[in-house]
Amino acid sequence: MATYRPSQMRQQKAQTAPQEPNLVPIMNLFLTIIPFMLMFVVISQVALVALNFSSGEGGGGSSGGGGSGKDLEKVEIIVLDSEYAKTNKFLGFEIREPGMDAKMISANNENYNFVALDRLIKEIRARKADLVDITVTVYPYVLYGDLIRTIDLCKSNGFTQVHYNRAVASFY
Amino acid sequence: MESKNSSNRKTRRVRRKVEDVKGLSITSLLDVLTIILVFLIKNVSTESVKISTEKDINYPSTITNDLLMEKAEVTPVKIFTDRIILGNESLNFGSPQDLLLSTDKRKAIQQYLKVEADAIYNNSSEEVEACLIVQADNNIQCEYISEIVKIGTSVGYTRIYFATLEDPDWLKNTNVASR
């Protein structure tokens, strides 16, 4: 009498785990959406621009200086204001560099020409690759936003030690 | 034999087949969490001090972003167009014009910042540096900023930070606007 073992197929069918829903299309959708969302999202983040006054910087005084304390090859960017423009008929930037004539960058319709300033700073950077110090001298009626943009251009072009200086000290 | 089989059939217990209970799928939940995580990582700030943005201040944009020193104790100075707010307690010290016109106001600001700087150096370890974070409006004149910087450095703040909004394209936008 022949004996038969239980069917293996029946056993397998009984043990089959319930199938999970197919998540691949959903994942594909997410993978498409996320890069677009990240690309278009606008996140306002507070950044910081640092000035170091740790070694004798005058803190807005007319003397300037600061940084390492050694004799520096002083490149200076002077941001001229509207009061200066009234008397001297010029609004914009004046750039002083040792051994070179002072360069003037005039404003366009009372807006400072930051593009030209950026170009000039790049030229200075190309000539003086090792220099990291630069002085920004600001006149009193220059707007804060213009000052920060000037400092920002210096820093973005590798002048990491920006010295803050004000043109007129009339208090105390 | 046949009758025996029929009796067996009668006594056979018929069990209802219990359906397997499907476990909750957490895959979708994981997907959502992954997305949230991506946004959180994008927005996370490693700054040790949280700098709150002010709605009334129109911040300047910068390409560069200097990191705050690791061992820094910060005193915020917020210069609005109509008022100056000092310290974590948000004390009102009058208008920016008062800073230049009123000697008393100037002295009060100097005294407050000195107390804050001394407290930082006395209550903390030697390596800690007192830092001033200036949050000012785009349209504030630099004479007020210079005055705050001068007072800050005179009372012992070695580093001054200016709060801005990071925008790598501001120069390009300026370029387009000037054409």
Side-chain angles (χ1 to χ4, degrees):
Chain A
M1 193 171 164
T3 55
Y4 298 98
R5 60 190 172 85
S7 167
Q8 283 187 339
M9 284 305 292
R10 279 178 62 186
Q11 289 287 327
Q12 279 181 359
K13 273 182 184 171
Q15 287 173 359
T16 303
Q19 281 190 338
E20 295 214 2
N22 186 8
L23 293 172
V24 175
I26 302 168
M27 289 298 289
N28 287 342
L29 184 68
F30 278 137
L31 285 174
T32 315
I33 291 171
I34 289 171
F36 273 96
M37 288 172 79
L38 286 173
M39 207 157 58
F40 290 118
V41 75
V42 177
I43 300 166
S44 64
Q45 187 182 8
V46 174
L48 294 171
V49 173
L51 292 180
N52 186 6
F53 296 87
S54 56
S55 43
E57 173 73 28
S62 56
S63 60
S68 61
K70 64 184 177 184
D71 287 336
L72 299 169
E73 194 176 12
K74 192 179 177 184
V75 177
E76 187 177 17
I77 297 173
I78 303 167
V79 191
L80 306 167
D81 66 358
S82 52
E83 288 300 308
Y84 180 91
K86 279 179 189 170
T87 52
N88 297 283
K89 309 289 182 201
F90 181 83
L91 179 68
F93 299 105
E94 182 182 341
I95 294 93
R96 293 179 185 169
E97 193 182 345
M100 308 272 286
D101 292 334
K103 291 181 178 119
M104 311 296 276
I105 298 173
S106 62
N108 297 331
N109 302 324
E110 298 184 357
N111 292 318
Y112 292 98
N113 191 344
F114 289 105
V115 177
L117 180 67
D118 183 53
R119 207 177 302 130
L120 195 61
I121 294 173
K122 279 186 169 62
E123 286 174 21
I124 297 170
R125 163 58 56 216
R127 280 199 301 273
K128 301 174 191 298
D130 298 331
L131 189 67
V132 292
D133 292 84
I134 197 162
T135 303
V136 175
T137 301
V138 63
Y139 272 69
Y141 296 107
V142 171
L143 296 181
Y144 172 69
D146 295 327
L147 166 70
I148 293 297
R149 286 178 167 194
T150 307
I151 294 172
D152 186 40
L153 287 181
C154 296
K155 285 189 170 253
S156 64
N157 284 300
F159 291 97
T160 51
Q161 293 293 317
V162 179
H163 305 275
Y164 179 66
N165 198 6
R166 67 176 175 182
V168 181
S170 57
F171 302 101
Y172 291 100
Chain B
M1 188 83 175
E2 214 170 80
S3 63
K4 203 174 182 179
N5 283 343
S6 63
S7 67
N8 280 346
R9 275 179 200 152
K10 283 175 186 171
T11 56
R12 178 189 267 175
R13 282 182 164 181
V14 178
R15 288 183 187 170
R16 288 183 65 187
K17 192 177 179 181
V18 180
E19 287 183 8
D20 289 335
V21 179
K22 287 181 181 175
L24 284 173
S25 173
I26 59 164
T27 315
S28 307
L29 183 65
L30 275 174
D31 290 345
V32 174
L33 287 177
T34 310
I35 293 162
I36 294 169
L37 193 66
V38 167
F39 273 90
L40 285 174
I41 290 169
K42 181 83 171 61
N43 291 332
V44 76
S45 172
T46 51
E47 304 290 358
S48 56
V49 177
K50 187 165 175 62
I51 307 156
S52 59
T53 52
E54 296 290 337
K55 285 181 183 175
D56 296 343
I57 292 179
N58 183 19
Y59 291 91
S61 303
T62 54
I63 300 165
T64 52
N65 182 7
D66 293 326
L67 293 176
L68 196 65
M69 290 175 66
E70 280 188 17
K71 294 184 175 177
E73 288 285 333
V74 166
T75 305
V77 176
K78 294 169 187 173
I79 308 174
F80 296 81
T81 48
D82 57 344
R83 64 192 187 279
I84 295 175
I85 305 291
L86 293 186
N88 294 313
E89 300 87 4
S90 297
L91 301 175
N92 192 334
F93 277 82
S95 69
Q97 288 77 22
D98 292 339
L99 184 65
L100 302 182
L101 301 175
S102 167
T103 314
D104 292 339
K105 287 278 183 189
R106 214 158 50 234
K107 280 183 179 171
I109 291 171
Q110 189 170 20
Q111 202 172 355
Y112 176 81
L113 289 179
K114 185 170 173 47
V115 169
E116 288 283 308
D118 290 346
I120 288 169
Y121 287 120
N122 293 334
N123 299 334
S124 310
S125 62
E126 289 179 3
E127 294 171 352
V128 166
E129 281 197 60
C131 301
L132 211 62
I133 289 191
V134 178
Q135 293 178 255
D137 193 275
N138 247 334
N139 298 316
I140 292 285
Q141 288 170 348
C142 281
E143 54 184 345
Y144 307 121
I145 307 295
S146 300
E147 202 56 36
I148 286 290
V149 168
K150 184 175 181 179
I151 294 171
T153 49
S154 69
V155 298
Y157 286 94
T158 52
R159 278 176 182 267
I160 313 284
Y161 289 90
F162 296 107
T164 62
L165 293 181
E166 197 173 1
D167 179 11
D169 297 325
W170 74 259
L171 188 63
K172 288 177 193 168
N173 296 337
T174 308
N175 193 8
V176 171
S178 63
R179 274 177 192 171

